[in-house]
Amino acid sequence: MSEVFTINKHLAGACHLALWAFMFLSPLTYWRGTGITFEQYLMYCMDPLFLMIVFYLNYLYLAPKFFVAGKHRYDLLINLILVTVLGITLHYWMDYTNTVYPVAGRHLDAIDDFTRTLRNILNLAIFAAGSTALALARRYVTAAQKLQESEAARAQSEYLNLRSQINPHFLLNTLNNIYALTAIDQERAQDAIQQLSKMLRHMLYDNQESEVMLCDEVQFIENYINLMKIRLSGNVDVTFVPQIGNPSMKIAPLIFISLIENAFKHGISPTKHSFVHINIVAICDEITFSIENSNYPKTNQDRSGHGIGLSQVQRRLDLAYPGRYTWKKGVSDDGSIYTSTIHIKL
């Protein structure tokens, strides 16, 4: 946005420069072949100089101070006095110029004097109106740009905040798993800590970027799944099948982890057969993440954190891939299987 704004400023400056170059050089075109001197040219430049004064006085001061503020009457009154005084002054100045540098065969009567004065006032009024319109347009564009920048900053701040919310939640769950493992097998607990250190490295460094390589994200998910499998019983079937055509393609970090957490949290039964099946397919510039798990929802007495993870995923998708993703999720008719599929077009 800042680059576009800079380009627009340069373009506007070039337009201003071209306009006034034309206005100040036009007397040379009109008097070409008459042997006009430099002093005479400067005297005829009073006309474009007055137009410039009216233009920038309105553009930089009168329009922002009065017209934009809603004080239209004051703006109109000041401009009426301004263009009238400058129009009459310009008329007498041109009379003086024609006296110093008389034009052969040119005689002006009272009607010509009145017509010239009226024309001067009208030209000044047109420039005053034009500069006021430009000032309004500039204010509108600037306000729109500031609003867009503010919205972008707010969205980025919200996006970073969502990512920071994921980290403590994920870390707490993982530490609880390792704590439970220490009472069963210390050697496996050490392996789990090593797995956790790899994931923390990804969270602390890669998660600070807006996008990471898909291969790193897949490795992170695989480490997490391996850590979860350590404490699972033999009646749980867990599979993870990544099909990555281009491992170096980029994706927003940790965008699927909440869904995987929920699958292990709500899809695992300590006594009954249960399963978690996770797939990632990346082809060209499209990524499809799907997860299917047995459904063992919480009881009404235990609803902690219900829906928070899903709402975070939804918001992160909205911020990272607006209008470029679809998400289908739901429970089977008999309530035994939960399915979630996210399709992202990069």
Side-chain angles (χ1 to χ4, degrees):
M1 174 59 65
S2 60
E3 293 179 357
V4 174
F5 184 64
T6 302
I7 293 174
N8 290 340
K9 285 174 61 178
H10 292 165
L11 179 61
C15 290
H16 281 260
L17 184 61
L19 170 65
W20 297 114
F22 171 78
M23 294 300 298
F24 278 95
L25 292 177
S26 58
L28 292 178
T29 304
Y30 182 76
W31 293 102
R32 185 176 55 186
T34 61
I36 185 173
T37 64
F38 182 69
E39 291 78 9
Q40 186 178 0
Y41 163 72
L42 291 179
M43 297 186 75
Y44 280 114
C45 282
M46 189 63 70
D47 191 356
L49 179 62
F50 277 22
L51 292 175
M52 177 183 281
I53 292 173
V54 170
F55 182 91
Y56 286 110
L57 189 61
N58 276 274
Y59 186 70
L60 299 176
Y61 180 74
L62 294 179
K65 183 174 180 61
F66 295 105
F67 197 91
V68 173
K71 301 177 181 179
H72 300 162
R73 294 181 180 178
Y74 291 102
D75 183 76
L76 180 60
L77 179 61
I78 294 173
N79 270 291
L80 182 60
I81 296 173
L82 178 66
V83 299
T84 301
V85 171
L86 291 182
I88 295 173
T89 303
L90 184 59
H91 167 70
Y92 284 110
W93 176 263
M94 296 308 296
D95 277 349
Y96 172 72
T97 301
N98 291 330
T99 301
V100 177
Y101 299 100
V103 180
R106 188 173 185 181
H107 303 285
L108 303 176
D109 55 20
I111 296 178
D112 291 328
D113 288 342
F114 176 77
T115 303
R116 288 175 56 198
T117 303
L118 187 61
R119 183 195 62 192
N120 293 336
I121 293 175
L122 180 60
N123 288 339
L124 292 167
I126 291 173
F127 270 72
S131 62
T132 300
L134 284 177
L136 291 176
R138 182 184 66 168
R139 180 180 177 85
Y140 172 79
V141 171
T142 302
Q145 289 174 335
K146 288 182 178 180
L147 178 61
Q148 188 174 358
E149 291 173 354
S150 175
E151 287 295 324
R154 184 192 63 79
Q156 179 67 12
S157 176
E158 183 178 358
Y159 181 67
L160 294 176
N161 183 52
L162 286 173
R163 281 164 48 179
S164 68
Q165 291 176 18
I166 292 174
N167 294 348
H169 184 246
F170 166 76
L171 183 59
L172 178 62
N173 288 345
T174 306
L175 288 175
N176 286 336
N177 291 336
I178 295 177
Y179 175 77
L181 188 62
T182 56
I184 303 173
D185 191 330
Q186 291 186 355
E187 184 176 353
R188 294 175 66 191
Q190 291 176 351
D191 293 337
I193 293 174
Q194 187 176 14
Q195 292 279 349
L196 178 60
S197 67
K198 294 179 181 178
M199 289 186 293
L200 286 177
R201 187 179 298 110
H202 180 78
M203 294 170 62
L204 291 175
Y205 297 104
D206 296 340
N207 190 34
Q208 303 307 313
E209 303 294 332
S210 59
E211 291 183 327
V212 298
M213 287 197 299
L214 183 57
C215 60
D216 294 335
E217 190 70 12
V218 169
Q219 183 63 54
F220 172 81
I221 293 174
E222 189 171 3
N223 288 337
Y224 176 80
I225 293 174
N226 290 335
L227 189 60
M228 295 297 102
K229 289 169 64 176
I230 291 176
R231 61 172 299 185
L232 296 179
S233 60
N235 65 334
V236 181
D237 176 27
V238 179
T239 61
F240 176 48
V241 182
Q243 301 177 52
I244 311 301
N246 180 15
S248 62
M249 68 193 312
K250 299 285 190 174
I251 189 174
L254 305 183
I255 203 164
F256 303 128
I257 190 63
S258 291
L259 297 178
I260 300 174
E261 283 186 272
N262 282 343
F264 281 100
K265 193 172 184 179
H266 305 293
I268 303 300
S269 170
T271 57
K272 300 178 182 179
H273 173 74
S274 52
F275 66 92
V276 176
H277 296 162
I278 304 169
N279 294 275
I280 296 181
V281 179
I283 301 176
C284 296
D285 61 346
E286 298 182 0
I287 296 177
T288 300
F289 172 88
S290 61
I291 186 167
E292 185 179 69
N293 57 271
S294 48
N295 186 41
Y296 295 99
K298 292 181 180 180
T299 63
N300 292 330
Q301 287 74 29
D302 182 15
R303 305 295 288 179
S304 59
H306 179 68
I308 295 178
L310 295 183
S311 63
Q312 287 182 345
V313 173
Q314 181 78 62
R315 189 56 182 154
R316 291 195 68 195
L317 286 169
D318 289 338
L319 293 172
Y321 304 103
R324 294 185 287 139
Y325 79 92
T326 58
W327 185 10
K328 297 180 180 179
K329 56 184 180 295
V331 182
S332 60
D333 293 337
D334 59 1
S336 62
I337 299 176
Y338 178 84
T339 304
S340 180
T341 301
I342 296 176
H343 181 80
I344 300 173
K345 186 173 181 61
L346 302 178

